[in-house]
Amino acid sequence: MHYLEGLNEAQNQAVTHINGPLLIVAGAGAGKTKTITHRIVHLIYSGVRPDQILAITFTNKAAKEMRERAEKIIHQNIENVVGMPTLLTFHSFCVRILKEQHALLGLKKHFVILDESDAVSMIKEAIKSIGLDPKQYEPKKIKGIISRAKSNMTTRELFTERATSTIESIVARVWALYEKACKDEGAVDFDDLLLETVLLFERHPSVLETYQDRYPYIHIDEYQDTNEVQYRLATLLAKKYKNICVVGDSDQTIYTWRGANIKNILQFEEDYPDALVVLLEENYRSTKNIIAAANSVIIKNKERKDKTLFTSKADGDAIGVYQVFDEKVESNFVATQCLQLIDEGVSPDDIAVLYRANFQSRAIEEAMLDNHVPYTVLGTKFFDRKEVKDVLSYLRAAQNPDSLSDIKRIINFPARGIGKTTLAKLFAGMRDQLPPAMQKKIELFYHLLATIDAYATVNTPSEVLRYIVQTTGIESELKAGSAEDIERLENIKELVTLAQKYDEYPLEEGIDHLLSDASLMSDQDTLTHTEEKKGVRMMTVHASKGLEFPYVFIVGLEHGLFPHQRDGRSSEADKEEERRLFYVALTRAEKKLYLVHAELRTIFGMRQINSPSEFLFDIPNEIIEVEHIHGPREKTVYFEAF
């Protein structure tokens, strides 16, 4: 059993536990993915069929990494393996179930998955249709309320029944129209994927049992980030056999604002009294000083599973704490330090700049440009680019001509002379009342969609996308446009290249996977599309979770900013979440930490004096060195505690 070599005692205990519930409390950098993948291999080695094993993660990036690792180890250690385990994200897993059970749910097989912007657009139309102003009742906020309700297992009917305030009553009315619009288009949003799957299981016990028998061995990654609907899904699937392994760390729960419930992991032993609990506390990523800093910060939290990280690595550099004059000096300091590291031979890709709020990136970007430091900002999704969404909308509309949001997006791109009035009549079923010339344009458009659909039945996904770009006129229009249009065309060409990885699937299945993955991409998944752009990585602390870098700058460490406070107030739960967020930021670093705070900062146009973050005072004096930087040219250096 070569795959067991190199595991520490705790990892080995988790890997070799086969039957019954298992909680793996995995500290930052403690080999979580290695433990899960080796456990999957051990199950197969012990006689479990690969297709009986399910592992669910949160991001496509994590699922891909786990899948590749597992397949490699399986092939290295086990002969004549038939099939592979199912390793998917929550959303991808639910898409698979809904496609298999689409008839039972009244959905078309090729139902549309609305992305965030399409869903918000539909909600905006619903707001208008009840005579309200979208500027007063922001569609994005109403979408957020609906999303949170669905994540908490609240259906529209239940939400309407419980509505007491004016805004809740308005949300209930908008939700009803939004739900109808989705049904008319044969569409679901991200939240529906999970909610509808759980409701399907609860309402149809025989269907649930089918999947329980299909996957008697279940793994849930990042369990501390699960919300109510995800918790319910995992619980239902595991109810029959109870062979559920959950992996997570209560100290890294940083998404309660979008529904994550820390109690899911803290109460696992109450849900499964006979559960084995394994603590992974040995960190393989960071130096002793970084680990000491992280431990000293997180120990102050009360809502947590007790554990203490340790490492066999060297002490490493002291934790650098830098007091700067203002955000301009802060930005210049970060940029020049990055430049110095690069001059010393450090790859720009090995450096990360983390901040609590997105607005902080602007000044740092300017300094990076001024100092000619290569950088890339994590945040803009590849699949959110207009030109990419346009091409994918052609593909979706070809498969499902009832998808009004896709039709609306592309019917006049490239321009066909079809205006909003014509579109309104078309959507209202008044096509026969349009002038003959306009009816001809509409007919040609739908004929084009039918042609694309027919082409898709006999060609690979990449060939279909290439065909769309050429036959719709997108290519010729962008070629004749500005430099910006040429860049858009290059992005579309990148989409075609990306689609080649789906060519290996059966034709129809390949397109399904492409469209599903395009809809389900997360922020971290965009890193794969920026890897060619070498540079210092800039991102929020939230976006950094799961990543690691030798050199990490954490900026804006001031009271009110990090820890963040709304209106100068915060609850105890908020304070603990901010502390967990800082813990996550600290544990991204492998070699060196730069903690930066400014005396003055301009926020919302106002210059304000700031005190250092309370988190800085939690770090032991003996492992820090403090440097005061007064400006770009003058600085006084001395080493002391606060």
Side-chain angles (χ1 to χ4, degrees), residues 27-34 61 65 69 222 252 282-287 290-291 313 346-354 378 524 527 531 535-553 583-593:
K32 168 176 68 78
T33 303
K34 178 180 181 179
K61 178 176 178 286
E65 180 186 358
R69 281 206 207 180
E222 303 287 7
Q252 296 186 69
E282 183 171 1
N283 177 285
Y284 293 94
R285 176 188 300 158
S286 309
T287 63
I290 293 171
I291 295 303
K313 289 196 169 189
V346 174
S347 168
D349 298 352
D350 287 340
I351 308 170
V353 180
L354 309 183
L378 176 62
Q524 285 190 15
L527 277 178
E531 279 173 356
V536 175
R537 310 295 188 183
M538 293 173 51
M539 66 195 81
T540 63
V541 179
H542 282 100
S544 75
K545 189 168 179 291
L547 304 177
E548 56 188 55
F549 305 89
Y551 302 89
V552 172
F553 293 80
Y583 173 82
V584 167
L586 292 174
T587 53
R588 298 313 93 199
E590 298 172 7
K591 294 182 179 180
K592 175 69 177 176
L593 265 170

Side-chain angles (χ1 to χ4, degrees), residues 439-503:
Q439 288 191 41
K440 183 65 177 175
K441 289 180 181 179
I442 300 292
E443 181 183 342
L444 288 172
F445 172 73
Y446 278 97
H447 176 71
L448 175 61
L449 295 183
T451 304
I452 294 169
D453 190 38
Y455 191 86
T457 62
V458 292
N459 289 279
T460 64
S462 64
E463 290 169 336
V464 175
L465 292 185
R466 193 178 293 110
Y467 179 80
I468 289 171
V469 176
Q470 293 168 347
T471 57
T472 58
I474 291 174
E475 183 177 41
S476 55
E477 176 157 314
L478 293 178
K479 271 185 177 178
S482 64
E484 199 172 55
D485 289 327
I486 298 298
E487 186 176 339
R488 290 194 182 104
L489 182 58
E490 288 172 353
N491 290 334
I492 291 172
K493 288 179 178 178
E494 175 62 18
L495 174 65
V496 175
T497 302
L498 179 69
Q500 289 178 340
K501 76 175 185 179
Y502 298 93
D503 290 352

Side-chain angles (χ1 to χ4, degrees), residues 320-324 333 592-597 625 627 629:
V321 177
Y322 303 88
Q323 179 179 313
V324 300
F333 165 72
K592 175 69 177 176
L593 265 170
Y594 301 79
L595 309 181
V596 191
H597 67 98
E625 60 180 33
E627 185 171 326
I629 302 175

Side-chain angles (χ1 to χ4, degrees), residues 93 204 211 254:
F93 176 65
H204 301 276
Y211 291 98
I254 60 173

Side-chain angles (χ1 to χ4, degrees), residues 313-460:
K313 289 196 169 189
D315 290 345
D317 292 341
I319 310 297
V321 177
Y322 303 88
Q323 179 179 313
V324 300
F325 177 65
D326 60 9
E327 69 269 18
K328 186 173 182 181
V329 178
E330 173 187 68
S331 301
N332 189 67
F333 165 72
V334 171
T336 53
Q337 285 295 308
C338 287
L339 199 59
Q340 183 177 322
L341 288 170
I342 294 167
D343 287 344
E344 292 170 358
V346 174
S347 168
D349 298 352
D350 287 340
I351 308 170
V353 180
L354 309 183
Y355 34 82
R356 178 62 181 83
N358 274 306
F359 77 85
Q360 294 172 257
S361 69
R362 182 196 60 80
I364 299 171
E365 281 196 71
E366 287 182 7
M368 293 291 195
L369 290 168
D370 290 344
N371 288 276
H372 306 290
V373 179
Y375 73 93
T376 181
V377 180
L378 176 62
T380 303
K381 299 180 185 179
F382 177 80
F383 286 103
D384 269 354
R385 295 174 181 174
K386 179 187 180 301
E387 58 273 16
V388 171
K389 292 181 70 173
D390 288 340
V391 174
L392 293 176
S393 280
Y394 267 105
L395 185 53
R396 279 196 296 265
Q399 285 193 333
N400 181 6
D402 293 330
S403 177
L404 301 186
S405 57
D406 287 312
I407 299 295
K408 182 178 179 181
R409 170 178 282 278
I410 61 175
I411 196 167
N412 207 39
F413 177 74
R416 296 183 177 89
I418 301 173
K420 291 182 179 179
T421 304
T422 299
L423 199 58
K425 289 183 177 180
L426 175 65
F427 286 0
M430 301 163 61
R431 183 171 168 178
D432 57 348
Q433 297 180 26
L434 295 170
M438 187 57 69
Q439 288 191 41
K440 183 65 177 175
K441 289 180 181 179
I442 300 292
E443 181 183 342
L444 288 172
F445 172 73
Y446 278 97
H447 176 71
L448 175 61
L449 295 183
T451 304
I452 294 169
D453 190 38
Y455 191 86
T457 62
V458 292
N459 289 279
T460 64

Side-chain angles (χ1 to χ4, degrees), residues 78-95:
I78 307 173
E79 296 181 356
N80 303 319
V81 177
V82 178
M84 280 291 153
T86 299
L87 295 98
L88 297 169
T89 64
F90 271 104
H91 290 93
S92 297
F93 176 65
C94 290
V95 167

